[in-house]
Amino acid sequence: PFITREDIWQKEKCSIVDNLPEFNIPLSSREIVIFSDVGFSSYPHNLIKVEGEILGLKQAVSSPLSFDNYVKYEEQKVDLQKINVWAPIVEGDIAISIAFAKIKENLDNVKVVYEEGLIPNPCSDINVFVSHGGRDGNSGFRGLYPSDGKAYNMDKIFGTGKIAIMFVCHAGSIVENYYSNSTHTLVKRLLQSGYQAVISPSWSLNVSIPGIWMKKFIRSMENGNTISYSVNKANLYIESIYISPGASSAMHLFGNDRLTSN
């Protein structure tokens, strides 16, 4: 009866960090480490542990998914006046409704277009998606679900934009394709369809995180910081509230790490 929530989270944090493999990576002031190994690409890059500490909680870390993508990325501007947030509220799912409400509460002074129908029309610079998702051992991300027992044809959901922020469980999960020396992942599909960057959790996400994470991320972008720095700042803010890496390290950045606001 004398164990607090903080005690439980601290125990969980220690357990996660202790069980992570240790990587021998020469650290520098650079914000990104590139791995050419396809087999390693399925490992959540926020959980890379170096010298006993999680690298993603020390500095900005992102994954371009491939070296050819990385060399093509250039500095680009994102319009923070063009933000679209969608959640299928009409389905009445409690978890989705809570996460959506928390985002609206935390972005009350930010210009945002909110969509609550079954099918969104995302065409802003920043498109935010709130829904259920699942993981499949063979294909990475299994599917998008508005409520229990219903699934989407994902090709009609994600639209066009520069940044896709996925508050969808497992949307950042990656599985190696053993037959083609490549990977299975929703993230790659979104980057190939025209998005410059994707921010998504590589495991399940608590509904209390999206609102406060978005507020910190947008504030950092407004201050002229890069998307990689802003994702890191938002993750560190989550850590200051929920110390377990299960919460603070969930949101991963993929794609162009050089985006800034205009």
Side-chain angles (χ1 to χ4, degrees), residues 84-155:
N84 181 288
V85 177
W86 167 76
I89 298 300
V90 294
E91 282 295 291
D93 184 90
I94 295 177
I96 291 176
S97 297
I98 292 174
F100 188 70
K102 291 293 185 181
I103 291 176
K104 295 181 72 173
E105 177 184 323
N106 281 275
L107 298 184
D108 59 337
N109 58 349
V110 179
K111 185 178 180 181
V112 180
V113 174
Y114 293 101
E115 294 191 67
E116 302 180 8
L118 272 178
I119 306 297
N121 182 35
C123 55
S124 298
D125 274 14
I126 300 177
N127 294 319
V128 182
F129 304 89
V130 183
S131 188
H132 288 297
R135 176 179 171 81
D136 184 276
N138 297 316
S139 59
F141 184 67
R142 186 172 63 200
L144 200 68
Y145 309 99
S147 60
D148 189 34
K150 295 185 178 180
Y152 278 110
N153 177 351
M154 292 188 296
D155 293 336

Side-chain angles (χ1 to χ4, degrees), residues 22-36:
E22 184 86 25
F23 292 95
N24 184 20
I25 298 173
L27 298 180
S28 69
S29 60
R30 298 182 182 274
E31 290 189 342
I32 186 167
V33 179
I34 299 176
F35 294 90
S36 59

Side-chain angles (χ1 to χ4, degrees), residues 216-257:
K216 198 68 175 180
F217 172 76
I218 294 298
R219 289 290 175 267
S220 180
M221 291 289 289
E222 287 176 340
N223 290 331
N225 296 313
T226 64
I227 184 174
S228 59
Y229 181 88
S230 299
V231 169
N232 180 247
K233 293 298 288 185
N235 288 346
L236 290 177
Y237 182 68
I238 298 298
E239 187 194 29
S240 70
I241 304 173
Y242 308 108
I243 61 175
S244 172
S248 58
S249 299
M251 299 300 288
H252 290 64
L253 172 62
F254 302 89
N256 190 346
D257 65 327

Side-chain angles (χ1 to χ4, degrees), residues 69-81:
N69 283 344
Y70 179 68
V71 297
K72 290 187 295 184
Y73 287 141
E74 299 177 348
E75 294 182 5
Q76 288 195 31
K77 298 295 184 180
V78 176
D79 190 348
L80 295 182
Q81 297 297 307

